Amino acid sequence: MSAPSPRPTPRIDMHAHFYGGGLVEALLARSERPCLRERPGGALAMVAMNGEFPFTSDHFDIATGLAQMDAQGLTHRLLTFPGALGLDVLPANEAREMIAGFNDHLAGLRAASGGRIFGLAGLPLADIDAAAQEVRRIRRDLGLPGIILPSDYFNSVAEAKTLAPVLAAANETGCHVMLHPGLKVATAPPAPPADFAQYRTSAVALQAQATQTVLTLILSDIQDLWPRLSFQVVNLGGTIPFIFERMEAIARHRTPDHPFPTERLGNLWYDCASLGPRALEAAVKVLGAERIFLGSDYPIFTDDPFARTLAPADVEPEAKRKIEGGNAFALLERLLA
């Protein structure tokens, strides 16, 4: 009898967002950003915290998303509550019911998609106790693998620890936590730059903020306090792969008894959403292929993350298999067991 064929490597997109599950209706009912408004001709536009963009079926129709996955050869996708919109930091009386309904819908997509869709829940962060309770519900009752949190909370250790009840609740059952650009409760979005705003905000500032998130996690005791959490930092951890040697040099010259803990970078997870092969090559050398996920940032970006980023990268075949889906599959199997 011949040996069974090896299971093909899953191709899992670990950074994508979903605006369905009742959010369309909630956003249409709003008059202030974030909201949806109708453009001349009937097309919808999302008025978000950092600008306005066309709102298409890619954002809210799961059938559209599954067809796009098929076209790109993606076997699975991790969808998240759209944290960057700021819906999770609205007053609790506005956010609680809306977010709970979204999370219910997101949990149902796994069965509706034949197991291809997984999801990270949103939380009503203006009520920290309700947010902690929602973490317990989505893990114990809904079976979702984790949550998405605004990374503005991770610009410092003190800010991150204001989420202690949420992190403790997530730690109780083990939880995957994506740290994604987003506002804290009761904070306004920063004023846009005077020029070249799309590049200064959506690239330079975003990457710097992701770097701050990494520093908070690896320099603090957060991972020791809540060891059952797996943290995912978006966009390959920002500028970390390019400046870690400078941070090592700073420590070597200013605090030689306390070297920069480069090895702790390997405690986190990272995705390559919206970045390219050269960035991925640098990240593999610094972070390790076993800590990196494929990611697209769909529907904000619609590029094929495998064809555009992973396939052309000068990375060993085994490393590519891990990034393509092996890492994500192993993590999700544990979280969903």
Side-chain angles (χ1 to χ4, degrees):
M1 180 182 297
S2 61
S5 301
R7 181 172 60 184
T9 301
R11 188 174 295 175
I12 304 178
D13 178 2
M14 287 289 283
H15 182 159
H17 308 293
F18 184 59
Y19 299 71
L23 296 188
V24 173
E25 294 78 8
L27 288 161
L28 283 169
R30 291 180 55 79
S31 58
E32 298 180 350
R33 61 177 180 171
C35 62
L36 284 170
R37 68 182 180 194
E38 191 171 318
R39 288 174 165 174
L44 289 175
M46 174 68 72
V47 183
M49 294 302 183
N50 59 351
E52 183 175 317
F53 57 84
F55 192 75
T56 68
S57 63
D58 291 275
H59 292 81
F60 61 86
D61 181 6
I62 195 61
T64 301
L66 288 169
Q68 191 256 9
M69 288 171 60
D70 289 338
Q72 296 186 351
L74 293 167
T75 62
H76 300 81
R77 173 171 272 161
L78 184 77
L79 291 178
T80 82
F81 181 83
L85 276 184
L87 292 172
D88 48 354
V89 296
L90 290 176
N93 63 327
E94 295 183 53
R96 276 192 298 260
E97 185 175 342
M98 171 183 58
I99 290 175
F102 174 91
N103 292 342
D104 290 342
H105 183 85
L106 187 63
L109 290 180
R110 186 178 176 194
S113 65
R116 300 181 67 189
I117 298 297
F118 308 99
L120 297 183
L123 302 176
L125 293 169
D127 183 339
I128 202 71
D129 292 330
Q133 285 300 112
E134 184 66 0
V135 172
R136 295 182 178 97
R137 187 180 80 91
I138 66 98
R139 286 295 285 141
R140 294 172 177 168
D141 300 340
L142 301 185
L144 290 170
I147 57 177
I148 181 172
L149 291 174
S151 55
D152 273 9
Y153 278 97
F154 289 79
N155 284 328
S156 73
V157 178
E159 290 171 296
K161 288 186 176 180
T162 65
L163 295 176
V166 168
L167 298 176
N171 193 66
E172 288 175 12
T173 57
C175 194
H176 189 60
V177 183
M178 176 187 279
L179 302 177
H180 188 280
L183 299 173
K184 297 190 301 179
V185 170
T187 59
D195 53 24
F196 312 118
Q198 62 182 344
Y199 299 118
R200 296 191 192 281
T201 59
S202 294
V204 177
L206 185 149
Q207 292 299 97
Q209 204 283 323
T211 306
Q212 297 285 9
T213 298
V214 172
L215 287 181
T216 295
L217 290 173
I218 69 169
L219 295 177
S220 73
D221 61 351
I222 287 173
Q223 294 177 79
D224 302 315
L225 289 171
W226 299 293
R228 299 186 67 196
L229 303 182
S230 55
F231 287 103
Q232 176 180 342
V233 183
V234 300
N235 300 96
L236 296 176
T239 62
I240 284 287
F242 313 101
I243 65 169
F244 81 99
E245 290 162 318
R246 177 176 175 85
M247 289 189 284
E248 289 179 332
I250 290 170
R252 197 163 55 245
H253 290 85
R254 300 178 187 175
T255 57
D257 294 335
H258 299 282
F260 181 75
T262 304
E263 72 284 352
R264 285 175 63 85
L265 294 173
N267 295 346
L268 308 177
W269 295 96
Y270 310 86
D271 65 65
C272 63
S274 72
L275 297 173
R278 304 293 84 82
L280 181 60
E281 291 164 7
V284 167
K285 291 177 181 178
V286 176
L287 307 172
E290 65 279 358
R291 305 305 294 183
I292 299 175
F293 299 135
L294 198 65
S296 69
D297 209 359
Y298 175 83
I300 305 303
F301 295 91
T302 57
D303 290 333
D304 181 338
F306 180 84
R308 182 168 289 271
T309 299
L310 185 56
D314 185 11
V315 174
E316 293 294 327
E318 179 57 28
K320 287 186 177 181
R321 282 190 287 272
K322 291 177 181 178
I323 296 167
E324 182 181 2
N327 293 335
F329 190 81
L331 178 69
L332 290 167
E333 269 197 323
R334 175 175 62 78
L335 290 167
L336 298 170

